[in-house]
Structures are given as C-alpha cells and as structure tokens.
Amino acid sequence: MHADLLIIPQWLLPVDTQSRELRDHAVAVADGRILAVLLAPEARRSIIAAWVLELPGHVLIPGLVNAHTHAAMTLMRGLADDLPLMTWLHDYIWPTKTRWVDPSFVGNGSRLAVLEMLRGGVTCFNDMYFYPEVTAQVAADAGMRAVIGMIMVDLPTGYADGADAYITKGLALHAHYRGHPLIRIGFAPHSPYAVSDGPLERVRTLADELEVPVHIHLHETRDEVVTSLRDHGARPLTRLEVLGLVGPGLVAAHMTQLEDAEIDHLAATGAHVVHCPESNLKLVSGFCPVAWLLAAGVNVALGTDGAASNNDLDLLAEMRTAALLAKGVAGSAAALPAAAALRMATLNGARALGLERETGSIEPCKAADLVALDLRDANTQPRTTTSPIAVSMRTTVCTGKR
Amino acid sequence: MHADLLIIPQWLLPVDTQSRELRDHAVAVADGRILAVLLAPEARRSIIAAWVLELPGHVLIPGLVNAHTHAAMTLMRGLADDLPLMTWLHDYIWPTKTRWVDPSFVGNGSRLAVLEMLRGGVTCFNDMYFYPEVTAQVAADAGMRAVIGMIMVDLPTGYADGADAYITKGLALHAHYRGHPLIRIGFAPHSPYAVSDGPLERVRTLADELEVPVHIHLHETRDEVVTSLRDHGARPLTRLEVLGLVGPGLVAAHMTQLEDAEIDHLAATGAHVVHCPESNLKLVSGFCPVAWLLAAGVNVALGTDGAASNNDLDLLAEMRTAALLAKGVAGSAAALPAAAALRMATLNGARALGLERETGSIEPCKAADLVALDLRDANTQPRTTTSPIAVSMRTTVCTGKR
C-alpha cells in the first residue's frame, strides 16, 4: 500500500467507540486522509510511505474541535479582568466593539486566534462574530477547518444594519463556500435575548433548507432565563422549541441553567451542548451540569468561548478544567473521566457540527486531522494508566469513498 | 554601585504593598540578594554589573512559593485518576506507599518534583512526606529553597515505628539543617485524624521552642469534620485550638469546611491557610471559601498538593484555577483578582512559612528568588492592563543586613 505519510507514535488514542488506548500502532495518510490504522510492525512491512514520522514518547490524538469561539476577540484578551459581568460587558466589551471592530480588527484577531489554536492542537473551530467572511478567509488561508456562523443580532452594527442585511450577507457567505473542503457556513443567531422571533423563524426555515447547524448562546446565565420568563413567558429553551429550533441542528453554548426535564428533552431531541467551563467561571455564569447531561445521553462538546472571557483558546487546558470542575460540581471524583473529556474535545465537537464523518477521531477515510503530544516532559513523567493497553487492534483501511 | 547581575525586564511585578505594575525598571543582584530596584535608565548609568540581562517582552515576578506539596508523590502521578476518594486512597495510594516508598523512591520522586517546579517558576516549596531527609538533600543539592516537614503519623511505617521515632528522626533532621541558607525544617503532623493528642502536644511544645511552623492537613473534607465530632466531640480546628496549635505558626492545608466563626478565629489568631483548588476538585474535597478568608484578613497561600492529587506541580496554572474557581464559588467575577492570586502564590506563601523577610517579593535585601515570564507567545498577545503603570518608583537599595 502506498502512502504520503506514515506516523508511528508511541501511543495512539483513536477516540473510537471503545475509547481504546493503543500502543505500537501506526497511521497511514494519503491525500490528506487517513488511509489505514494498523500495527506498527505490519505498517513498516506493508506501507510504502514517502515520509515516515517516528514519534517516540508521543501520543497521537485526533485534532481538537473548539466548538464555541469568537476568534477575533483575541484582541480583547485581558481587556477587563476581574470585573462583574455587566461592568465587563457595558463598560469595556461593547464600547470596544463599537469603537474598534471592523474587517481589519477581525482579520488580525482571527489570525492570532488561528495561530494560538493550531499551536494548541485545535484543528477545527466553530465561530460566531461580526464580519464572518474575514474569519472564514483567515481559516481557509491557514488550512484550518472551521464552521463559520452567519452572525445575527436585532440591533444594527457596522457589519449589517438589520435582520434582513445579516441574513443576506450570511447567505452570500454560505454560497461562496459551498463545497469548500475546510470551511462550512452555519447560522449563528447570537442568543434568544438578542434576536427576536421573526428572524429566528427565518433561521429555522433556512437552516432546514440548507442543512446547516444553528449555533447560539443559550441558558448562559440565570438572568437570561429570568428575563425570558418576564418578556416571553417562557424559558429560552422552551421559546426555541416553539420556534422549531430544538433538534439535531442546534448547537447550544453554555447551558448553565437546566432543569431535569430540559436535560431529558435535549437528549430526546438530539440537540448539542457546548460546555465552556472557564468562561462560565470567569464571568460567573453558573455551572453547567455536565455529568448529568452526559448521563442522559446528550452530546456535550467543549469550547473556550472568546479569549476576552477565558483568557486563552487552549482547549487542552479547557479539558482539564472541565474534568476537574465536573467532579466538584457533581460531587463525584468519577465524574467526567479523562477519556470522556478527550471525547468532548474531539468527536463530540465534530458531531455537534455535523462533521463526524470528516473529523473528530482517528479512523480510516476521515481527514488526517491529527495532533501529536510530546509526553516526555517532566510534568508528564512517569506515565501511568489504569486502563489496559490494547495491542491487537485489527488493521482498518479506508477502502471506499467517504 | 557594583552588582553581579543587572536584570532589565520589560515589566516588573514586585508584589509590594501597593501591588504595583512597573515598567522600565531594573533589579540589581549581588551575592544572591536583591541589591536595588530602580529605574532602568538610572540602573544603566549607575550600576556596574558583571552581567546585564535584558529581558524584552518578559515580566519579572518573585519566585513562586508552593506552600503544600508531597514532592516524592510525583511518582504516583496519574496512578488512579477519576476514582472516588476512598478507592483512590485504599486501593491505590496507600498500597503503593507500603509497597514502594523507601529512600530511593523519595529521592527519585523529589528530583522529578524539583525539576518540574523549578521549570514552572517555583523557587520554594513546603513539603510533607516520609524520609524527609532525602527530600531536604535533593532540594539543597538543586539550590532550591524548601521547608521540609518532620512528618508524623500515629501508625508505624517503613520510615519510623511510632510517635517517638518520628520525633527523634525529625529533630535530628532539624539539627542537621540549623543555619542552612536554603533548607528549613518544620513540623508536619499529617492531620488531626492521623495523629493523636499526645504527639500533637509534643509538637506544640517543640514547635514553640524551636520557632518553626506546623504544617498539617486540616478540614480537607466534610468526612474529616464529621468523624472528629464523633470521636473527639469537637471539630478538628477546635481540637487543635485546645491543644494550643492555632496561631501564627499554623500552616493549615485545604480548609474546605469552614464556618463563619472559624474564619474570623483564623484571622484573629494569625493562622495561615494553604488553598489547593485543583486537589480539592480532583478528590471532591469541597470548595475552600477563599474570597471570605481573604476578606476576613486571613493569610491565604497556594499549593498544588502532591502530583497524585493534581496531577502536576504547576503553580502558575494553580493561580489560574484559584482565580477562576473563586469567582464561581463566591458568585462574583471580582473575587480573587489577578494581583491577589499572584500574591497568594508568592508573598502569602513566604509569610505562611515565616520566610517573608527572605523571599516572596522583589524588594531590596531579600534573596534574589526571581522568575522571568516570556509574554511574547501567541496566548499572551496582545497585552492589556486595566491598572495604571507606575513609571516613577523611587530607587530602593539594600543598605544594611537583612
């Protein structure tokens, strides 16, 4: 078998159904896709590769999926730390947006975000911000996979002067990237409190038609829920349900305020949740009931949110925060084990974005979105595992079209 | 003025009384001590230094103080993650200790810990583990500052066969390091539940006599408090109070279970708390009320705990977790601002260990325990500050003996 690249790491975490931890396995890559996963000795015998990459001391994992970002906001990193949410928003973030955000700002901020994310093992991100065409271009130029949101708020901004303009610009962007190998365009109405029923209904119709996800901030804070009950007589999730938006296309970021029935309902409808633990802590939004969501069968992905509310785009660190915080919140040290945290940051993210056939795990025919982590540093010594290491995985090869 | 070293960083956080953020300042070092802190142009004019270290893009901070460690437990890193506390302890940590812990284990584990901590900006640690003479030697050999605990538990171990033996060995260690420039020996009775009244009374008497701190796990879990009420008719802090141990010499690690009156009492007595947020999350010990402790005026330091319960010794990351978690727990985004987190990880740690005249801040006559952080990476761009930058700090010089 011929391949462009044969990677032979010391360990391999494919994030497959069984969450196996493999050693002595290799990954063959051809035309940017995973051609085969097989035992290293067999790979050395049977694969003729243009480049053999031996990675002793490394673990190979799927590229990480940052499922909720505002890439351009890297330029607001650390702008107003340690301040109450409303001061942060009204006195710093919004005035900065009004004063500074234009295509040049979005381009510079997105380039910085893409640099930081690629260096941190993120190969795909799900973005929501103004001038999305600029962020899409930055990601495409960098060879990075992204779902870019057709942003929408009721208020006019420098980017668009009303609901119609947001949709028109968004649809033009969608048309431009149709069939692009890396960039997909989805809807990104900001939140139930920033977008009224009319535009949300149009989003529902268009999203169904175009078969794209709807990325939205949802149940981020208690105040959001209280305000919705006052203004709409319903909790935000219920309001979206009535508008027909709750289903497998919904990518709901934050979700810190959830009743048991809502968790069950999310599971039943196939809607996706993006957990953003560091943002939720920094802005005191509340604690997402991750352990309960996972137990109910909800697909939970992981996101950093924008750098202004984090203050970085480090999804590996976010996995760690998620794993530790879930234990404290659930009152169980067994909550969100390491394998589940890795799954949230990879395959669950891909599923949320409708990209699970393309990325999120190391399986034949998927794109070769791969990350090698060097475990030879002092802080990853010694290496211990409580899971059995599989050494007899059957060779799997990509034989057909994806 | 002659100096061995003149450091000219772009920014300087001395962790002084006003938590100033300085730019264009320099630090002169002679004989391992801080000779002067002064404006960079003046330093370039007036200091004749054997070595001038220009650090553009760097911030200079005091060396970090890791105020609660079990250094040798790096060898148990990741040994049993994601397991309930009692399974973790009974099925993994204790059997491993019994089977493996000897001077060689402690030597290897401590060397790894010292490597990891020095690389992570920690220049001083407060340790509690068996064979403390081995850890003390490792720290001394590495040129690292440490307070090493005279460990004590009721049960016999490979290290000592009972209360008398622990104390005898501890005192020999104390005598050996008397006057050592880097190593101090304090008491480290493991916890109120692992040490009975008799030995604790002897610790009190000896600690007063030798003027050394008493480092102990305290109010780590709810179960500890419940058990103490059952067995001693008092909460652990009350029991230590009766035994005369609650005062400026007490270094109490964890403290997740505290009533308001206890917080006030800690403040009144001058006892120190070491907050270990990542360990508390991983082992579901509870949430230390950091914001309330600081508001009451309690000196709160920061610790990683051992690597088995963390899983690293990264105090910079622990500062971040502490700052984020305190906000969530206090329900206020203003809780534990960045400057307070840095102070916990530096000067407060030094104060807890009775080393505040020696380390913990960048001030003339203190030891030159200094850390330069490179802020030129993608994830620290752009650099923003909401605090005014002081540019007119008066030159301060070490004129006398410390």
Side-chain angles (χ1 to χ4, degrees):
Chain A
M1 211 162 10
H2 285 262
D4 302 326
L5 170 64
L6 181 64
I7 308 175
I8 310 179
Q10 191 155 353
W11 300 277
L12 175 64
L13 300 177
V15 188
D16 56 7
T17 327
Q18 304 101 300
S19 290
R20 280 182 294 198
E21 301 178 11
L22 306 173
R23 63 182 301 154
D24 216 20
H25 279 68
V27 177
V29 175
D31 296 326
R33 302 215 152 251
I34 296 168
L35 179 65
V37 180
L38 68 180
L39 276 164
E42 189 190 326
R44 287 196 178 89
R45 251 193 332 266
S46 66
I47 307 272
I48 300 151
W51 181 26
V52 177
L53 184 59
E54 302 269 358
L55 293 172
H58 287 67
V59 60
L60 196 73
I61 62 171
L64 304 177
V65 179
N66 193 346
H68 179 57
T69 61
H70 311 287
M73 291 182 82
T74 46
L75 296 191
M76 299 186 204
R77 189 198 310 273
L79 178 66
D81 290 347
D82 304 314
L83 293 172
L85 179 62
M86 286 300 131
T87 312
W88 179 81
L89 206 57
H90 289 283
D91 295 354
Y92 292 89
I93 299 299
W94 286 350
T96 302
K97 183 182 79 55
T98 305
R99 172 75 182 78
W100 294 106
V101 172
D102 62 13
S104 159
F105 179 102
V106 171
N108 289 326
S110 298
R111 268 187 292 278
L112 179 57
V114 160
L115 170 63
E116 184 183 353
M117 287 196 280
L118 285 175
R119 288 192 55 184
V122 174
T123 59
C124 176
F125 67 105
N126 180 35
D127 207 63
M128 174 198 289
Y129 208 63
F130 303 98
Y131 307 100
E133 70 280 9
V134 179
T135 304
Q137 188 66 52
V138 167
D141 289 349
M144 190 169 184
R145 193 179 304 283
V147 177
I148 303 293
M150 299 178 243
I151 181 76
M152 190 183 301
V153 295
D154 280 347
L155 291 176
T157 59
Y159 168 65
D161 62 10
D164 286 348
Y166 285 105
I167 289 180
T168 306
K169 291 195 169 194
L171 291 176
L173 183 65
H174 181 269
H176 181 75
Y177 281 98
R178 188 183 293 272
H180 193 281
L182 292 172
I183 307 300
R184 306 237 176 144
I185 307 298
F187 277 99
H190 179 276
S191 56
Y193 57 88
V195 186
S196 45
D197 286 0
L200 285 174
E201 274 168 358
R202 289 193 57 197
V203 164
R204 194 268 325 268
T205 309
L206 289 164
D208 287 351
E209 202 177 299
L210 302 173
E211 294 181 341
V212 297
V214 178
H215 177 200
I216 191 167
H217 294 103
L218 194 59
H219 287 216
E220 181 171 0
T221 62
R222 188 173 170 277
D223 186 58
E224 173 192 338
V225 176
V226 170
T227 307
S228 178
L229 282 166
R230 183 194 69 197
D231 295 348
H232 301 280
R235 290 165 66 88
L237 183 62
T238 308
R239 185 169 150 239
L240 292 193
E241 174 70 34
V242 172
L243 292 167
L245 279 160
V246 180
L250 183 69
V251 182
H254 299 298
M255 288 297 218
T256 70
Q257 316 291 318
L258 285 170
E259 295 172 347
D260 289 350
E262 289 174 327
I263 292 174
D264 292 339
H265 186 65
L266 288 168
T269 56
H272 310 275
V273 169
V274 185
H275 179 38
C276 304
E278 295 187 0
S279 169
N280 295 160
L281 286 171
K282 175 173 173 174
L283 300 176
V284 193
S285 306
F287 300 100
C288 176
V290 181
W292 290 269
L293 285 163
L294 291 173
V298 176
N299 181 54
V300 183
L302 197 64
T304 56
D305 206 344
S309 43
N310 187 299
N311 297 341
D312 60 41
L313 306 179
D314 183 346
L315 206 66
L316 283 167
E318 199 84 26
M319 281 170 55
R320 191 172 197 276
T321 302
L324 288 172
L325 187 63
K327 291 165 173 53
V329 169
S332 162
L336 200 52
L342 178 61
R343 183 170 294 265
M344 280 172 60
T346 53
L347 190 57
N348 290 9
R351 285 180 61 198
L353 306 180
L355 294 174
E356 69 272 28
R357 297 186 60 190
E358 190 68 9
T359 193
S361 62
I362 302 178
E363 294 179 270
C365 299
K366 283 199 178 185
D369 295 354
L370 302 169
V371 172
L373 303 175
D374 189 343
L375 300 185
R376 294 171 301 186
D377 214 337
N379 63 0
T380 41
Q381 295 287 345
R383 289 174 299 268
T384 333
T385 179
T386 44
S387 317
I389 298 282
V391 289
S392 60
M393 185 183 173
R394 190 171 298 157
T395 299
T396 51
V397 180
C398 178
T399 51
K401 285 270 175 206
R402 57 189 160 106
Chain B
M1 210 163 10
H2 285 261
D4 301 326
L5 170 63
L6 180 64
I7 308 174
I8 311 179
Q10 191 154 354
W11 300 277
L12 175 64
L13 300 177
V15 188
D16 56 6
T17 327
Q18 304 102 300
S19 291
R20 279 181 295 197
E21 301 178 11
L22 305 173
R23 64 183 300 156
D24 216 19
H25 278 69
V27 177
V29 175
D31 295 326
R33 303 213 151 253
I34 296 167
L35 178 65
V37 180
L38 68 181
L39 275 164
E42 188 191 327
R44 288 195 178 88
R45 251 195 331 266
S46 65
I47 307 272
I48 300 152
W51 182 25
V52 177
L53 184 59
E54 302 269 359
L55 293 172
H58 287 66
V59 60
L60 196 73
I61 62 171
L64 303 176
V65 179
N66 193 347
H68 179 58
T69 61
H70 311 286
M73 291 183 80
T74 46
L75 296 191
M76 300 186 204
R77 190 199 308 274
L79 178 67
D81 291 346
D82 305 314
L83 293 172
L85 179 62
M86 286 299 132
T87 312
W88 180 80
L89 206 57
H90 290 283
D91 296 353
Y92 292 89
I93 299 300
W94 286 350
T96 302
K97 183 182 79 57
T98 306
R99 171 76 183 79
W100 294 106
V101 172
D102 62 12
S104 159
F105 180 102
V106 172
N108 289 326
S110 298
R111 269 187 292 277
L112 180 57
V114 160
L115 170 64
E116 185 183 353
M117 286 196 280
L118 285 174
R119 287 191 56 184
V122 174
T123 58
C124 176
F125 66 106
N126 180 35
D127 207 62
M128 174 197 289
Y129 208 62
F130 302 99
Y131 307 100
E133 69 280 10
V134 179
T135 304
Q137 188 66 51
V138 167
D141 290 349
M144 190 169 184
R145 193 178 304 285
V147 176
I148 303 293
M150 299 179 243
I151 181 75
M152 188 182 302
V153 294
D154 281 346
L155 291 177
T157 60
Y159 168 65
D161 62 10
D164 286 349
Y166 285 106
I167 289 180
T168 306
K169 291 195 170 195
L171 292 176
L173 184 64
H174 181 268
H176 180 74
Y177 281 99
R178 190 184 290 274
H180 192 282
L182 292 172
I183 307 300
R184 306 238 175 144
I185 308 298
F187 277 100
H190 178 276
S191 56
Y193 57 88
V195 186
S196 46
D197 286 1
L200 285 175
E201 274 168 357
R202 290 193 57 196
V203 164
R204 194 268 325 268
T205 308
L206 289 164
D208 287 351
E209 202 177 300
L210 301 173
E211 295 182 340
V212 297
V214 178
H215 177 199
I216 191 167
H217 295 104
L218 194 60
H219 288 215
E220 182 171 1
T221 63
R222 188 172 169 279
D223 186 57
E224 173 192 337
V225 176
V226 170
T227 306
S228 178
L229 281 166
R230 184 194 68 197
D231 295 348
H232 300 279
R235 291 164 65 88
L237 183 62
T238 308
R239 185 170 150 238
L240 292 193
E241 174 69 35
V242 171
L243 292 167
L245 278 160
V246 181
L250 183 69
V251 182
H254 298 300
M255 290 297 221
T256 70
Q257 315 291 319
L258 285 170
E259 294 172 346
D260 289 350
E262 289 174 326
I263 292 174
D264 292 340
H265 187 64
L266 288 168
T269 57
H272 311 274
V273 169
V274 185
H275 179 38
C276 303
E278 294 185 2
S279 169
N280 295 159
L281 286 170
K282 175 173 173 175
L283 301 176
V284 192
S285 306
F287 300 100
C288 175
V290 181
W292 290 268
L293 285 163
L294 291 173
V298 176
N299 182 54
V300 183
L302 197 65
T304 56
D305 206 345
S309 44
N310 187 298
N311 297 339
D312 61 41
L313 305 178
D314 183 346
L315 206 65
L316 282 168
E318 199 83 27
M319 280 169 56
R320 191 173 197 276
T321 302
L324 288 172
L325 187 63
K327 291 165 173 51
V329 169
S332 161
L336 200 52
L342 177 61
R343 182 170 295 265
M344 281 173 59
T346 53
L347 190 57
N348 290 9
R351 284 180 62 198
L353 305 179
L355 294 174
E356 70 271 29
R357 297 186 60 189
E358 191 67 10
T359 191
S361 62
I362 301 178
E363 294 179 271
C365 299
K366 284 200 179 185
D369 295 353
L370 302 168
V371 171
L373 303 174
D374 189 344
L375 300 185
R376 292 171 301 185
D377 213 339
N379 63 359
T380 41
Q381 295 286 345
R383 290 175 299 268
T384 334
T385 179
T386 45
S387 317
I389 300 283
V391 289
S392 59
M393 186 185 174
R394 191 171 298 157
T395 300
T396 51
V397 181
C398 178
T399 49
K401 285 269 173 205
R402 55 189 163 106

